[in-house]
């Protein structure tokens, strides 16, 4: 089945940028949707962004205009480019696969990455 390996997390200052990567071990062509979730300390996991096989995207309002999700099917990898980072972006970020994207609504898939920590602090 699908295995997801995440990378790219780290510590950055407010206003900085990071790019997260999520590499799938198998073909993602049959996966309807993939996305990024994040879980801030003491809070519930929330959707950050999602992308369909065809490239349709959706974003949480809190990151719209700052983050960009993309997909490279040749590399079986999705990315999350995070710009203008804020302290409230601090969270463990998880890659998700096997979901369904209906317009702007992403239904969570069954596959998860191990998580990568993003810390935004001065």
């Amino acid at each position: 089945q699908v295995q997801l390996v995440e990378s790219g997390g780290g510590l950055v200052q407010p206003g900085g940028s990071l790019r997260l990567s999520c590499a799938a071990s198998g073909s993602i062509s049959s996966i309807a949707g993939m996305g990024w979730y994040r879980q801030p300390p003491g809070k519930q996991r929330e959707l950050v962004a999602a992308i369909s096989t065809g490239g349709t995207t959706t974003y949480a309002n809190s990151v719209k205009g700052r983050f960009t999700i993309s997909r490279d099917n040749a590399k079986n990898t999705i990315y999350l480019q995070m710009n203008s980072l804020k302290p409230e972006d601090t969270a463990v970020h998880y890659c998700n696969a096997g979901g369904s994207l209906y317009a702007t609504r992403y239904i969570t898939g069954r596959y998860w990455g191990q998580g990568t920590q993003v810390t935004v602090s001065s």
Side-chain angles (χ1 to χ4, degrees):
Q1 286 293 306
V2 175
Q3 292 183 331
L4 307 176
V5 179
E6 300 165 328
S7 62
L11 173 65
V12 295
Q13 294 184 321
S17 298
L18 283 174
R19 190 181 75 160
L20 305 183
S21 299
C22 174
S25 63
S27 175
I28 58 175
S29 62
S30 63
I31 301 176
M34 298 181 68
W36 289 97
Y37 285 76
R38 68 185 184 186
Q39 187 166 20
K43 297 184 179 181
Q44 297 184 94
R45 191 172 300 184
E46 63 182 0
L47 177 68
V48 178
I51 187 168
S52 72
T53 301
T56 303
T57 59
T58 188
Y59 298 91
N61 288 333
S62 59
V63 308
K64 193 172 298 182
R66 299 188 297 122
F67 293 7
T68 302
I69 188 170
S70 60
R71 186 168 187 158
D72 187 339
N73 289 328
K75 298 180 179 179
N76 289 338
T77 301
I78 63 167
Y79 306 92
L80 185 68
Q81 179 66 46
M82 303 183 292
N83 299 325
S84 302
L85 283 162
K86 305 175 180 179
E88 49 262 48
D89 296 319
T90 296
V92 179
H93 287 67
Y94 298 92
C95 181
N96 177 261
S100 300
L101 185 58
Y102 302 101
T104 61
R105 180 185 299 174
Y106 182 69
I107 307 301
T108 308
R110 65 180 296 181
Y111 304 106
W112 292 95
Q114 79 283 2
T116 184
Q117 177 71 48
V118 172
T119 302
V120 185
S121 176
S122 60

